[in-house]
């Protein structure tokens, strides 16, 4: 019975990577944000090769012992010894820039405050904070989980400008 649970835990629910294991497999350069392999798998992964891929993702992803991790969380683990419970924010907004100086712990709300580009949907102007509501362009901001209207405007550019001013004033993690 205990052998069954041991196998279940090892095979179905593999343990999260540790700092020690990460350091056995990779070298992390905190100034470039790049992981390099310290071991070869006998195939396409050679010692010294850069680890990670961005295929179908804005984030660099790295496979460690059969599990896929985003590189910014591995960078944090590599340097600090623990996997953060919260989000990690890319200060400059570039999700592929995993230099340690570009990473900071953030709540989900703080991480969202550092958004630099509009989400594209059928109401969006393509400008951050400006969206269409019937005839007018509107903007609103979220603070402490509540949305606040910033008004309605004749052009998306004005709605965008009003939003950016509010974002700079109220969002502590905003880097715009």
């Amino acid at each position: 019975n205990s052998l069954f649970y041991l196998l279940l835990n090892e095979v179905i629910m593999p343990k999260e990577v540790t700092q020690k294991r990460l350091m056995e497999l990779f070298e992390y350069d905190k100034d470039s944000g790049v992981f390099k392999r310290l071991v070869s798998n006998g195939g396409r992964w050679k010692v010294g090769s850069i680890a990670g891929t961005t295929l179908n993702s804005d984030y660099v992803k790295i496979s460690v012992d059969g599990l896929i991790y985003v590189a910014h969380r591995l960078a944090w683990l590599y340097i600090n010894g623990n996997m953060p419970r919260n989000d990690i924010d890319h200060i400059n907004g570039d999700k592929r820039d995993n230099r340690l100086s570009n990473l900071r712990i953030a709540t989900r709300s703080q991480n969202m405050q550092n958004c630099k580009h509009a989400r594209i949907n059928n109401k969006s102007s393509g400008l951050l904070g400006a969206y269409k509501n019937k005839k007018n362009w509107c903007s609103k901001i979220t603070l402490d989980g509540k949305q606040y209207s910033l008004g309605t405007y004749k052009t998306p550019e004005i709605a965008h400008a009003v939003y950016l001013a509010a974002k700079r004033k109220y969002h502590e993690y905003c880097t715009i």
Side-chain angles (χ1 to χ4, degrees), residues 42-120:
R44 60 188 178 140
W45 298 346
K46 309 268 187 259
V47 172
S49 65
I50 294 175
T53 181
T54 54
L55 186 65
N56 299 325
S57 176
D58 292 335
Y59 294 99
V60 175
K61 294 181 179 178
I62 298 174
S63 174
V64 181
D65 295 331
L67 295 177
I68 305 294
Y69 295 90
V70 285
H72 57 279
R73 296 187 71 78
L74 292 178
W76 195 268
L77 170 64
Y78 195 96
I79 297 299
N80 296 297
N82 64 325
M83 192 67 83
R85 294 185 189 274
N86 286 342
D87 285 6
I88 295 180
D89 179 44
H90 289 83
I91 297 167
N92 68 5
D94 181 351
K95 297 172 183 174
R96 296 178 183 192
D97 182 353
N98 294 307
R99 293 173 296 126
L100 190 61
S101 62
N102 188 46
L103 305 177
R104 62 181 169 185
I105 295 291
T107 64
R108 174 53 47 124
S109 176
Q110 289 167 329
N111 200 359
M112 295 306 293
Q113 290 173 8
N114 199 13
C115 181
K116 291 180 174 32
H117 304 287
R119 292 188 181 108
I120 302 300

